Amino acid sequence: MAALPLLQLQRRLGDIKATSGRLWGLLRSRAPGQILFWFIALFIGIAAGSAALLFRKAIDTLQTAFYGTEDVNLLASFAGTLPWYLILLIPVGGGLCVGVLIRYFTPDGRVRAVADVIEGAALNDGRVEKKVGIASALASLITLSTGGSSGREGPVVHIAAMLSSWVSTLIRADGITGRDLLGCAVAAAVSASFNAPIAGALFALEVVLRHFALHAFAPIVVASAAGTVINRLAFGDVTEFRLPGTTTVEFYLELPAFLLLGLVCGVVAVLTMRAIFWADDLGNLVQNRLRLPLVLRPALAGGLLGGLAIFYPHIIGVGYETTSRALTGTLILHEAIVFAVLKVVAVAITFSGRMGGGMFSPSLMIGALTGMAFGLIATGLFPEQSSASTLYALAGMGAVAAAVLGAPISTTLIVFELTGDWQTGLAVMVSVSLSTAVASRLVDRSFFLTQLKRRRVHLAAGPQAYLLAMFRVSGVMRKPDDPGAADEATCRQMIEQGLFVNASSTLDAVLPLFDTSGVAFFPVVAQVGAEKPPELCGAVFHVDALKAYNRALAATAAEEHG
């Protein structure tokens, strides 16, 4: 009887030995590469964090040089003491410089920002344009230094993406590795910009990569931590905004008010985004009607901004001073409403003038002002059942920003990290959830994805919608000498009937044709010239197109759940 337990023990020891051998072999084969990848992520985090810090310092230096202020955080107050012609001419001069950059150094007269990074992650193996990106970074730097009403996170994210693209090209990274490195760079840039390591990591996953795969999480966290260290070495462990003491919530009585605030902020976010897109369309119309040179379009926008800033200097730049005033409760009701409306106008002018910058900081300011106005009304109507109006400003700041970015998780966390107030989580989360629910129904999920949709890049619906656009017919077709190729005579006959596709077409245009025509394949032709007949290149089969689509979906699912 004693032999049986001994035999079982020997078998278990054998199983443990075999398992240990497999684990050791796995560590020997994969651990060095994984550790090397984490070191690369750390390097990218340090580089992207340093780039974000230098960009911020450059803005501060140029603002000091142009406006003469000693404290750029009080730029709005200081600008009110300057001669009116300086307030007017500084953004006009900045606009002229931006116009030269986008006219001669970008192919389409457009400054690159977060939307282009999202597009690079989805469609270009985690790469972005580098030469155009440098010109865009300079244009955004000039915009933010000379009175443009936008944020610095857009150009900082794209600068970080350029760094990761350079590394990905250097090490010949595949699509998954390139996207992971891109996420590392973005996380480090955001965390270095705002001293927000948790939100930086989640922003990269939620907004740029748009998945939370475990293989990407660890290196992104490493890079985000590195970016935060860069920030704290320069500025110390301080928050961007300082709140006046602690805030408390009368939870049971005030939750309906924060639900209503979320709905209001969702509408405000949608109006802000649509105002920007409407202003951009109007700018295109004016430019075409007046035959205005592209180089003058940012200068014209700068003139409008300067004229507005003469009377309302709070619209200049990122707007942290006004945001801080809202969060500390030093604004009255009509100031909060007027400042919010004018900030929306100023942001719309800046973007329609192709001046560059980001949307996160403006959305924080608009949200804080909206929440402040709502809070002043709510506390005035129910003073005994309400907390401080500054709590509504905090919740409104998160709600508008989350709706604009389409990122409720990372925005909720970044509000806590920007202010250091973790005691009001329920109020912020309730407002954020309602605002994003409203805004996502009225725009294409976020400001960035709606920007891409306006360029005919459809990413909001997910991989099943945009993967087909990545495959050209020429890469899927069977050539005339391939096994199973289509009969040439049949192909000629179909071409005469008009049943053919161009070799440069993509599968998103071709697959619907199979459904409407009912044929098994289409001849693929190359248009040689207007007077010559099309040249037969091969045939694209319905089954081959579906197989390519299925493989792409499987690869994407494996990456997002790996």
Side-chain angles (χ1 to χ4, degrees):
M1 296 294 292
L4 184 59
L6 182 61
L7 182 61
Q8 292 177 345
L9 180 60
Q10 289 176 341
R11 287 178 178 175
R12 290 184 179 180
L13 289 173
D15 292 341
I16 293 173
K17 184 177 180 181
T19 303
S20 300
R22 287 194 296 270
L23 288 174
W24 177 245
L26 189 63
L27 287 173
R28 290 181 62 187
S29 61
R30 295 189 180 182
Q34 193 68 42
I35 293 173
L36 176 62
F37 182 72
W38 287 351
F39 273 109
I40 295 175
L42 178 62
F43 167 76
I44 287 179
I46 295 172
S50 301
L53 176 63
L54 290 174
F55 190 82
R56 178 174 180 173
K57 291 286 189 180
I59 294 173
D60 292 348
T61 301
L62 290 177
Q63 282 184 335
T64 301
F66 289 130
Y67 290 97
T69 178
E70 295 181 359
D71 187 356
V72 294
N73 293 321
L74 300 177
L75 177 60
S77 297
F78 183 81
T81 65
L82 295 177
W84 67 268
Y85 54 86
L86 283 180
I87 302 297
L88 177 64
L89 294 178
I90 289 174
V92 172
L96 283 173
C97 295
V98 171
V100 172
L101 287 169
I102 65 173
R103 168 62 179 84
Y104 295 103
F105 298 98
T106 65
D108 51 4
R110 182 176 56 81
V111 176
R112 272 47 175 175
V114 177
D116 303 277
V117 178
I118 297 173
E119 182 181 3
L123 304 180
N124 199 27
D125 290 338
R127 273 79 161 177
V128 298
E129 302 164 286
K130 291 184 277 292
K131 291 182 180 179
V132 177
I134 293 173
S136 298
L138 291 174
S140 296
L141 174 62
I142 295 170
T143 296
L144 292 167
S145 304
T146 57
S149 193
S150 56
R152 65 171 182 265
E153 73 291 332
V156 160
V157 165
H158 198 274
I159 291 170
M162 288 192 293
L163 293 173
S164 72
S165 299
W166 176 76
V167 174
S168 295
T169 303
L170 184 66
I171 66 174
R172 299 179 182 178
D174 59 14
I176 295 177
T177 304
R179 282 184 283 272
D180 288 350
L181 292 177
L182 178 67
C184 292
V186 169
V190 173
S191 63
S193 296
F194 301 105
N195 190 20
I198 302 174
L202 290 178
F203 179 88
L205 293 165
E206 186 179 20
V207 176
V208 176
L209 299 185
R210 302 172 66 215
H211 67 70
F212 292 88
L214 289 177
H215 66 81
F217 185 77
I220 284 176
V221 168
V222 169
S224 184
T228 304
V229 170
I230 297 296
N231 177 285
R232 293 183 181 181
L233 287 174
F235 301 107
D237 187 12
V238 296
T239 58
E240 291 286 332
F241 302 107
R242 298 179 181 178
L243 301 184
T246 59
T247 52
T248 58
V249 184
E250 300 291 341
F251 288 104
Y252 300 105
L253 296 176
E254 285 195 275
L255 278 182
F258 287 106
L259 289 170
L260 182 58
L261 174 62
L263 295 176
V264 171
C265 288
V267 173
V268 169
V270 171
L271 291 175
T272 300
M273 290 183 276
R274 289 189 173 175
I276 293 171
F277 299 136
W278 176 82
D280 187 62
D281 292 337
L282 179 63
N284 293 335
L285 179 63
V286 171
Q287 182 179 350
N288 294 332
R289 289 283 179 88
L290 300 181
R291 296 181 180 179
L292 185 72
L294 177 61
V295 71
L296 295 180
R297 181 167 175 171
L300 178 60
L304 294 175
L305 288 173
L308 191 59
I310 292 173
F311 304 98
Y312 299 97
H314 77 279
I315 67 165
I316 295 174
V318 175
Y320 278 166
E321 180 184 355
T322 306
T323 306
S324 296
R325 290 184 62 191
L327 292 175
T328 53
T330 58
L331 294 175
I332 58 178
L333 179 60
H334 84 271
E335 287 180 328
I337 295 174
V338 172
F339 286 2
V341 172
L342 292 176
K343 184 64 175 180
V344 172
V345 173
V347 173
I349 292 172
T350 302
F351 278 89
S352 67
R354 307 290 174 85
M355 297 184 74
M359 266 302 295
F360 180 65
S361 296
S363 64
L364 289 178
M365 178 176 166
I366 294 168
L369 292 169
T370 301
M372 182 66 184
F374 185 94
L376 288 171
I377 295 173
T379 56
L381 293 175
F382 306 100
E384 297 181 357
Q385 290 82 27
S386 301
S387 57
S389 59
T390 54
L391 177 58
Y392 289 90
L394 179 65
M397 182 172 75
V400 172
V404 171
L405 271 63
I409 300 174
S410 54
T411 304
T412 300
L413 288 172
I414 204 170
V415 167
F416 296 149
E417 291 185 295
L418 285 173
T419 61
D421 189 343
W422 296 84
Q423 305 301 318
T424 55
L426 185 59
V428 175
M429 286 191 296
V430 166
S431 299
V432 164
S433 63
L434 265 293
S435 68
T436 52
V438 170
S440 63
R441 301 297 190 278
L442 300 176
V443 297
D444 219 20
R445 294 185 181 270
S446 73
F447 175 76
F448 308 126
L449 295 179
T450 306
Q451 275 186 314
L452 293 173
K453 183 180 179 181
R454 286 166 56 86
R455 302 177 206 157
R456 303 184 183 278
V457 179
H458 303 281
L459 301 184
Q464 69 276 8
Y466 66 76
L467 281 176
L468 286 173
M470 299 174 63
F471 291 94
R472 293 201 178 276
V473 170
S474 56
V476 182
M477 70 179 185
R478 301 181 192 177
K479 297 179 181 179
D481 54 349
D482 288 344
D487 179 67
E488 184 174 348
T490 305
C491 289
R492 299 288 182 189
Q493 185 178 4
M494 293 178 69
I495 291 173
E496 292 178 359
Q497 297 173 359
L499 294 173
F500 63 89
V501 296
N502 197 289
S504 61
S505 300
T506 54
L507 290 186
D508 63 331
V510 174
L511 267 182
L513 298 178
F514 284 111
D515 295 331
T516 57
S517 64
V519 299
F521 66 89
F522 279 105
V524 179
V525 301
Q527 300 290 346
V528 179
E531 300 179 355
K532 296 182 179 180
E535 177 183 343
L536 179 64
C537 301
V540 56
F541 283 75
H542 194 188
V543 65
D544 294 339
L546 292 176
K547 285 180 179 179
Y549 184 38
N550 185 60
R551 286 193 296 269
L553 283 174
T556 302
E559 177 183 353
E560 293 180 354
H561 298 86

